[in-house]
Amino acid sequence: KAGDLLPNFKHEKYRLPTLSRPPRPTIPIFAAGATTEEVETAEDEFEVDRTLWTERLKLHEMRTEQLRGNERAVYDITWGQSSPDLRSRSQSNEDFTLTEQSQNLSQLLKDIRNITYNLRPNKNSFLLAFESLHNMFRIRHKEVQTCVELRNNVTALRGLLKHIGIHLGNSEHLVNYVMTEANIDPTAATPTEKSKCEDLVIERFYAILVCRLSNNDRYGQLQRELDNLHSRGVDKYPKTMNESITTLTEYRPPKKGNTPSNSTVPPTNANVSFSTNHNILCISDSRHKRPSIPQHHMSHLPAARTLLQ
């Protein structure tokens, strides 16, 4: 029954919808020389319009009161489900008494969001923007975390950035790129088409961000595969955050130890020996027989060691 309040939660506007009051009918004004029949007809139409207006006005008053009742009900539910710490911090606001007396749902939602995002009135706005961006790119996807947990962390900071007016990825270049993909002329796009493309750009940016913030040990190979495909003209990058989660969840990384070793690199346990009869340095390990030195050359070993040193 509180459907009128949905925009407050869905779009974070935090303001009640405005119910337009029905316009009062206009009293007819007769021109000079109007016949009696014309006057009577106009008066009858006015009476009908005024009767309809009266009924619409009653419905408007009833709907306004119902909306106000829904606001008070949602206010009570929201406050009742708040934690003791959240209540305490809300009550510390200077204007909370007025908010509580009027049961102002919009103001309560703003206060809760500010507390949730740790937005303090005396905090520097530019510092807040910097810290929010810094925290976004510091997100680490740990080995024990699921992809859904990664998405939830990104979504939380995305809401904070949106709340303070920062929309990552929303640039004119990217919007024009998406328009071109959709066969829309950027110079002739309607406001509705442009707004839709802006939303798509932001969603695609966060989809890429989720992929890049994913655990590198588990999904580093996937990122390289996506890059390689794109370099060959095949775009398999996810375009929504949900697609990112699906791509990461369904990916099966290669088993460790399957990467072939470089046979040209000598073993770490190799031994170096000097053979005077070949006059070369020999690299050998346990798999190769150590070169033997003839007995009559044993007297030259001290000189050979000195030369090597």
Side-chain angles (χ1 to χ4, degrees):
K1 294 183 178 180
D4 289 336
L5 305 178
L6 181 61
N8 289 308
F9 298 90
K10 187 175 182 180
H11 302 294
E12 302 181 3
K13 295 179 180 178
Y14 303 117
R15 59 175 180 267
L16 293 176
T18 302
L19 299 179
S20 302
R21 186 184 179 91
R24 183 189 294 271
T26 305
I27 299 177
I29 299 177
F30 304 104
T35 63
T36 304
E37 183 179 358
E38 292 175 343
V39 172
E40 291 178 351
T41 301
E43 288 179 346
D44 291 341
E45 291 177 352
F46 173 73
E47 288 298 327
V48 172
D49 291 341
R50 186 169 66 174
T51 301
L52 294 175
W53 173 76
T54 302
E55 295 300 321
R56 293 194 188 101
L57 188 61
K58 291 179 181 179
L59 291 174
H60 174 267
E61 296 298 331
M62 182 176 65
R63 191 69 190 90
T64 302
E65 184 58 31
Q66 182 181 4
L67 178 62
R68 181 61 184 143
N70 290 337
E71 180 188 11
R72 289 191 292 265
V74 176
Y75 181 97
D76 292 338
I77 294 173
T78 304
W79 183 252
Q81 293 184 349
S82 300
S83 65
D85 180 63
L86 183 58
R87 292 186 188 183
S88 177
R89 295 178 64 180
S90 298
Q91 291 170 341
S92 64
N93 293 337
E94 297 179 357
D95 300 330
F96 178 76
T97 302
L98 181 60
T99 301
E100 185 179 33
Q101 290 176 351
S102 61
Q103 290 188 309
N104 190 331
L105 176 62
S106 299
Q107 187 60 45
L108 178 64
L109 294 176
K110 291 178 182 178
D111 293 342
I112 291 176
R113 180 51 57 91
N114 290 342
I115 293 172
T116 304
Y117 287 155
N118 197 25
L119 302 180
R120 300 189 300 271
N122 58 345
K123 190 167 187 177
N124 185 284
S125 299
F126 294 94
L127 179 60
L128 173 64
F130 167 77
E131 290 179 349
S132 302
L133 290 170
H134 184 62
N135 291 335
M136 172 65 80
F137 293 101
R138 284 184 61 197
I139 292 178
R140 293 294 177 266
H141 185 206
K142 300 179 181 179
E143 187 74 25
V144 296
Q145 288 181 316
T146 65
C147 297
V148 175
E149 289 177 302
L150 171 63
R151 182 192 60 186
N152 293 341
N153 292 336
V154 173
T155 301
L157 283 174
R158 177 182 180 178
L160 171 57
L161 292 173
K162 180 181 178 182
H163 186 69
I164 62 180
I166 297 178
H167 302 281
L168 292 179
N170 189 8
S171 70
E172 183 177 359
H173 171 73
L174 294 177
V175 172
N176 292 341
Y177 179 83
V178 172
M179 286 184 180
T180 304
E181 281 187 335
N183 297 323
I184 299 176
D185 184 2
T187 60
T190 64
T192 301
E193 292 175 334
K194 185 176 181 180
S195 177
K196 184 178 180 180
C197 288
E198 289 175 351
D199 293 339
L200 292 176
V201 165
I202 295 174
E203 184 65 21
R204 288 177 67 169
F205 176 86
Y206 280 100
I208 295 293
L209 184 62
V210 168
C211 280
R212 289 302 185 184
L213 292 177
S214 61
N215 186 276
N216 189 65
D217 292 338
R218 291 158 59 186
Y219 304 108
Q221 183 62 30
L222 170 63
Q223 297 177 15
R224 290 186 288 271
E225 290 175 6
L226 292 174
D227 291 341
N228 292 335
L229 286 173
H230 192 269
S231 66
R232 296 195 293 268
V234 181
D235 187 359
K236 291 295 184 179
Y237 287 108
K239 294 180 173 55
T240 66
M241 292 182 68
N242 288 334
E243 286 184 12
S244 295
I245 299 304
T246 302
T247 301
L248 294 173
T249 303
E250 294 182 353
Y251 177 71
R252 296 294 178 266
K255 294 182 180 180
K256 295 182 180 180
N258 289 345
T259 304
S261 60
N262 190 349
S263 58
T264 61
V265 179
T268 56
N269 61 342
N271 298 317
V272 179
S273 61
F274 182 79
S275 176
T276 56
N277 57 346
H278 294 92
N279 210 20
I280 58 171
L281 281 174
C282 299
I283 299 177
S284 62
D285 58 17
S286 58
R287 294 172 299 178
H288 299 279
K289 185 178 180 180
R290 187 181 181 88
S292 59
I293 300 177
Q295 186 67 27
H296 63 278
H297 286 312
M298 294 295 291
S299 61
H300 298 291
L301 283 179
R305 292 194 184 100
T306 302
L307 178 61
L308 287 175
Q309 292 174 357

